[in-house]
Amino acid sequence: MAEKMKFYSLWLCLSVVMVFILQYIFPSITNFGILNNSAISNYEFWRFFTSIFLHGSLPHLLYNLFALFFFGIALEKLIGSKKFLFAFFASGIIANIIAVNFYQSSLGASGAIMGIIGVLTIVKPMLMVWAFGLILPMFIAGILWVTGSILGSLGMFPGDTGYIAHLVGIAIGLIIGIFLRLANKENKKSNNKIEIHSYYIENWEERHLK
């Protein structure tokens, strides 16, 4: 029986909006949850998780919301809600673990969302999506995102975007996508096998071999 979709992608969208509102009302929330060197030096490991839900500005929030809404719903429908949630948090947390070594501080769901994009690129490469102002196949959009993040990490696009976190997130997503695709192939092979109950084999042997 297929897993019933729980719309975790929408709940995550609602969560980041609510947290952003709380950040505006209570600025200390940002200081408590942002990812910085304290995450390691003071054993404040919750920051690897909480920083995913924090955003530094309204444009930052809206950009991530757009991506999480459209790509998140598409992926959740394809792989199921539990696997989607795993891919989101695995990509986001691992991206943060790497990012803390390169940036003094960081926040946002970008690493997790890039992970979603990575999974979707492998699971449904020919899915047509709107990206960069064009309608593109998912795998082309994925290549462009990776290329942009590589160039950004090399200093080609000045700013405070965490391109390394983006690259780690999409890399984790690609790995998860490969495992899911391989597992799906194995399931299809298993479903195509014809099983014969031992009773019928024994009955045939008694009738024709004795």
Side-chain angles (χ1 to χ4, degrees):
M1 184 177 178
E3 177 190 356
K4 183 178 179 181
M5 186 168 170
K6 296 180 174 63
F7 294 97
Y8 287 147
S9 49
L10 296 183
W11 284 108
L12 287 170
C13 288
L14 180 61
S15 296
V16 296
V17 170
M18 293 301 296
V19 170
F20 187 75
I21 293 172
L22 290 174
Q23 283 181 257
Y24 182 78
I25 300 173
F26 307 106
S28 59
I29 289 176
T30 303
N31 295 329
F32 176 79
I34 194 172
L35 180 63
N36 53 30
N37 294 331
S38 296
I40 295 176
S41 60
N42 296 332
Y43 304 102
E44 297 172 348
F45 299 123
W46 69 79
R47 294 177 184 271
F48 293 111
F49 176 83
T50 55
S51 60
I52 294 173
F53 294 90
L54 300 172
H55 288 84
S57 65
L58 184 59
H60 186 204
L61 172 70
L62 293 177
Y63 180 84
N64 279 348
L65 269 180
F66 174 84
L68 179 56
F69 180 80
F70 288 102
F71 296 116
I73 288 178
L75 184 63
E76 190 175 353
K77 285 181 179 179
L78 286 170
I79 68 173
S81 296
K82 291 180 181 178
K83 292 174 183 175
F84 163 79
L85 206 62
F86 171 79
F88 179 86
F89 283 115
S91 301
I93 291 172
I94 295 174
N96 282 341
I97 290 173
I98 302 301
V100 77
N101 296 287
F102 294 91
Y103 307 113
Q104 289 186 347
S105 63
S106 61
L107 74 175
S110 301
I113 293 169
M114 291 299 283
I116 297 304
I117 289 171
V119 178
L120 198 57
T121 299
I122 298 296
V123 173
K124 199 76 171 179
M126 295 308 297
L127 177 69
M128 302 304 292
V129 297
W130 188 78
F132 306 101
L134 300 169
I135 303 297
L136 301 170
M138 189 66 216
F139 82 96
I140 296 294
I143 290 172
L144 291 176
W145 267 303
V146 170
T147 302
S149 295
I150 291 173
L151 294 176
S153 66
L154 295 175
M156 297 292 289
F157 308 124
D160 56 0
T161 302
Y163 291 109
I164 292 175
H166 289 192
L167 285 172
V168 175
I170 201 166
I172 298 301
L174 291 171
I175 292 169
I176 293 173
I178 290 169
F179 276 104
L180 290 175
R181 188 149 186 158
L182 290 174
N184 188 48
K185 284 184 178 180
E186 288 299 320
N187 289 335
K188 286 182 178 179
K189 287 181 181 178
S190 299
N191 292 335
N192 289 333
K193 290 180 180 178
I194 299 175
E195 296 184 359
I196 302 175
H197 197 281
S198 59
Y199 165 80
Y200 297 104
I201 297 174
E202 293 171 359
N203 185 272
W204 185 88
E205 289 176 346
E206 289 180 0
R207 293 175 56 187
H208 298 284
L209 297 181
K210 291 184 179 180

